[in-house]
Amino acid sequence: MWSYLKTLEFPVNIRTPDARAAKIIISQYGGPDGELGASLRYLSQRFAMPTPEAIGILNDVGKELPQ
């Protein structure tokens, strides 16, 4: 079996905002192949999962992508 830990692999510490990097990152969210579309697919697929663990994983992944 496997275990699932709700921790980030690499901690994120933002010291100074960077508008150019933010523009590049936000461009990856839009469109059908973007991160927002993937997040919505994860959140909709959780309703078809048979086990609570699988539902929890899809829910957590779907919530973390657009942040």
Side-chain angles (χ1 to χ4, degrees):
M1 200 61 194
W2 44 269
S3 64
Y4 175 67
L5 304 173
K6 281 179 81 170
T7 59
L8 292 176
E9 185 175 353
F10 302 101
V12 177
N13 297 320
I14 299 173
R15 294 192 178 107
T16 58
D18 185 357
R20 287 185 300 173
K23 185 176 180 180
I24 293 168
I25 292 169
I26 200 69
S27 70
Q28 297 299 309
Y29 285 117
D33 297 325
E35 294 294 326
L36 184 58
S39 175
L40 293 175
R41 283 189 293 277
Y42 280 119
L43 290 173
S44 65
Q45 289 172 359
R46 69 184 169 158
F47 295 108
M49 290 293 114
T51 63
E53 292 84 7
I55 292 170
I57 290 172
L58 287 176
N59 191 40
D60 292 342
V61 170
K63 288 191 314 186
E64 291 297 323
L65 282 176
Q67 294 180 358

